Amino acid sequence: MSLDQDDPRPPYIQIANQLRAAILTKKLAPGEKLPSGAELAQRYGVARQTVQNGLDILRGEGLIVSRQGSGVFVRERAERPVGLRPHIERAFAASAVTLDFAGFSGETLYGAVQEPLDRIREGRLTPDSISIRILLPDMTIPMGLPVRAEDLADDPAVRERMNRIMLRNTQGIAESVAELAELGLVGKTSAEIRVYGGVPLFKLYIINKEEAFFGFYPVIRHSVPINGEQVEIFDPMGKNSILFHHSMTEDKDTKDSQFVEQAQTWFDGVWGSVGREVVGQ
């Protein structure tokens, strides 16, 4: 990247044009971090303020987003479905890791955290603290989903099957996180699980209080083993959920910032009011 000395346009316009082209042609991929202001200034041979003026243009176009303390990233637009795993892996590079999840089983979350937890065990990631909060439906009470398909009736056996899946995934996360503290690899860890009386028709991840991922659960009819027989049920299936990404920006009035803020407010409200701790984790 370099400036064209014969181009009559100001340097900051040229910088914006070159970076825009790199973003639109995917040379800079969605979610990718841009070089620092100092690096770009050295690369283009201009003052840092000139670079900042160019970035301001791209920020106004919604092509990049600044994350406090992290840098500038190519924006992943909220209307496009995105993958969760790379964002969670990147989040664990922070000194203080926070992860809030609200959903149905925690199965996707369990898979997504395995890679960063392995990197901590290998010494490749060294966060000072990890705090994970998991909010799930209370499967000890009658539910609207999952239910038997033939009559849409609540079935304790169907709920018990779902409860086993939930506990297997979430307790696996809690045990893995606790082990990191026991080994002295992370100074402080916590993984709490709470349940509440409601049917979650969506899943929500809030990462480091800066990023939110939201997706609806498709309700699928399928056959599952219940007490030795195959039973047709209607079931929210998280693996088929498409997630949409929102990030906090320096401008608190943007739709993305407001979504993350409201998502955190919703989670904290349910967690602190009607959520109850799971006994015998």
Side-chain angles (χ1 to χ4, degrees):
M1 294 181 180
S2 60
L3 299 180
D4 184 352
Q5 301 302 322
D6 296 326
D7 192 329
R9 291 172 296 183
Y12 76 95
I13 296 292
Q14 293 190 51
I15 292 171
N17 289 346
Q18 289 190 22
L19 292 175
R20 183 190 300 107
I23 292 170
L24 296 179
T25 59
K26 302 298 177 64
K27 293 179 181 178
L28 289 171
E32 184 174 344
K33 183 178 180 179
L34 270 64
S36 69
E39 291 171 330
L40 288 172
Q42 182 177 14
R43 185 176 301 179
Y44 285 109
V46 297
R48 289 188 63 176
Q49 186 58 50
T50 301
V51 170
Q52 186 60 50
N53 292 341
L55 295 178
D56 285 344
I57 294 175
L58 301 182
R59 192 176 292 107
E61 295 174 354
L63 293 175
I64 62 173
V65 59
S66 298
R67 296 178 188 150
Q68 191 171 8
S70 299
V72 179
F73 295 81
V74 178
R75 184 183 179 201
E76 296 198 66
R77 296 182 179 273
E79 60 268 18
R80 296 179 181 175
V82 297
L84 174 71
R85 190 182 300 266
H87 293 265
I88 287 185
E89 292 178 1
R90 185 173 65 213
F92 272 77
S95 174
V97 179
T98 64
L99 178 55
D100 292 336
F101 168 76
F104 209 69
S105 72
E107 186 173 4
T108 302
L109 176 63
Y110 177 83
V113 300
Q114 295 310 305
E115 179 68 20
L117 294 183
D118 283 343
R119 290 187 178 183
I120 293 173
R121 295 185 187 98
E122 296 167 357
R124 296 163 62 188
L125 291 175
T126 56
D128 295 325
S129 66
I130 299 173
S131 174
I132 299 178
R133 298 188 297 177
I134 301 172
L135 190 60
L136 303 169
D138 186 351
M139 285 294 167
T140 65
I141 61 178
M143 304 286 288
L145 285 170
V147 294
R148 285 181 174 263
E150 59 181 358
D151 54 7
L152 304 184
D154 173 73
D155 187 333
V158 173
R159 284 191 277 111
E160 175 56 30
R161 170 187 172 273
M162 192 66 222
N163 196 56
R164 289 195 302 270
I165 295 173
M166 285 169 36
L167 292 178
R168 180 174 67 241
N169 293 318
T170 56
Q171 289 182 353
I173 294 171
E175 292 168 1
S176 296
V177 169
E179 180 189 41
L180 297 178
E182 294 169 1
L183 294 173
L185 297 174
V186 180
K188 182 180 180 181
T189 66
S190 67
E192 301 176 78
I193 305 166
R194 293 189 182 182
V195 296
Y196 70 106
V199 179
L201 298 179
F202 62 86
K203 59 168 57 179
L204 172 68
Y205 304 82
I206 306 173
I207 304 173
N208 288 349
K209 303 185 185 301
E210 294 179 345
E211 297 181 272
F213 293 81
F214 177 91
F216 293 102
Y217 282 113
V219 178
I220 306 297
R221 178 171 180 157
H222 66 130
S223 178
V224 298
I226 302 289
N227 295 330
E229 63 174 306
Q230 290 297 121
V231 176
E232 291 282 323
I233 67 171
F234 283 115
D235 194 14
M237 298 292 286
K239 288 183 178 180
N240 297 321
S241 296
I242 294 176
L243 296 176
F244 296 91
H245 180 217
H246 303 263
S247 294
M248 290 291 290
T249 68
E250 293 181 345
D251 183 355
K252 304 302 182 183
D253 292 329
T254 64
K255 290 182 179 179
D256 275 355
S257 292
Q258 291 178 5
F259 185 94
V260 177
E261 181 180 355
Q262 291 302 308
Q264 189 71 68
T265 298
W266 176 87
F267 186 95
D268 291 341
V270 177
W271 182 270
S273 59
V274 296
R276 67 173 182 83
E277 293 185 12
V278 175
V279 179
Q281 294 182 28

